[in-house]
Amino acid sequence: MLTPTQIEQFHVNGFLNGGQLLNDEEVEELRGEVMRVIDERERTDIPQPVSLRNLGGNDSTPVWQIVNIWEASEPFRRLVSRQEITTAIAQLTGATELRIWHDQIQYKPPQIGGTTHWHQDAPLWPIIAPMTEVTAWVALDDADESNGCMSMAPGSHTWGNNIDFLRQVEEYDSMPSEFQGRAVQVTRCPVKKGEVHFHHALTWHGSHNNTSQRPRRAIALHYMTNETRFVASGEHVMKPFVEVGDGEQMQGEHFPQVYPHN
Ligand SMILES: O=C(O)CCC(=O)C(=O)O
């Protein structure tokens, strides 16, 4: 459970380090699963994630993205349903029911792992509305300055949809110090392995490249509230798995309910 002070901090900043969630043994098991799923990606006799690709498309600076590893890995299936996470998301959103929207591993290999450019999550999810407010991000390696931790712009979750502006920021490190008369601050967010970090779906964020000798593996867990409906006009990697009609409440086997707990 989050404390009232943590909830207040999240609402002010648009992000929050929620503290330790996983012990070393659990982290080891999940790390092993990430590498197994990558190694076994060509197999047709076992469940596969929804997608596995190099996010930036550049082979010399890869960011391996795996979407819905929970559908290919029992330990990850348990992680997305973890009561500590879903209870915290319910506290932060005020939701009475939550479903999995999708998950997303981002793996930046040692020395060459690339940048994840500045963005907001909600504008990248045009097949759901209203937006899902909060993502839980769980580090599987210590994520810090040297291996590509996330950075956030405090307060930016209150500034609306600014995805076009963020796309025009040319270099990851060249964020302007002002946006529409507001001071923009960039805060590095180191997260220890096994910790969970929350961010709002409109918070400006991204992560720099990995120049260290260590991998940077982490998973973002995106949830939907009970209000979330399908918007058929949009495009998204999860669209082929939606089983409901335009405007209907999102549900189905790829979007299981995880809160309240049985
Ligand atoms: O893992 C990263 O570095 C970025 C993740 C991200 O953009 C997200 O969780 O929305």
Side-chain angles (χ1 to χ4, degrees), residues 106 108 116 119 121 135 137 150 199 205 207 216 220 222:
Q106 285 199 19
K108 298 177 192 257
T116 305
H119 64 281
D121 292 338
T135 286
W137 190 91
M150 287 198 293
H199 63 266
H205 65 286
S207 55
R216 201 233 65 178
H222 306 302

Side-chain angles (χ1 to χ4, degrees), residues 15 118 149-153 172 186-189 203-208:
F15 58 91
W118 286 99
C149 65
M150 287 198 293
S151 292
M152 307 261 153
Y172 182 75
V186 169
T187 302
R188 292 271 201 247
C189 298
T203 302
W204 299 7
H205 65 286
S207 55
H208 57 276

Side-chain angles (χ1 to χ4, degrees), residues 40 42-48:
E40 297 183 345
E42 306 294 349
R43 282 181 59 174
T44 52
D45 60 328
I46 55 170
Q48 292 291 339

Side-chain angles (χ1 to χ4, degrees), residues 162-180:
N162 314 125
I163 194 74
D164 292 337
F165 168 79
L166 294 175
R167 283 186 174 132
Q168 283 165 19
V169 175
E170 277 187 20
E171 299 295 328
Y172 182 75
D173 288 323
S174 68
M175 175 63 79
S177 56
E178 196 186 298
F179 170 71
Q180 295 180 347

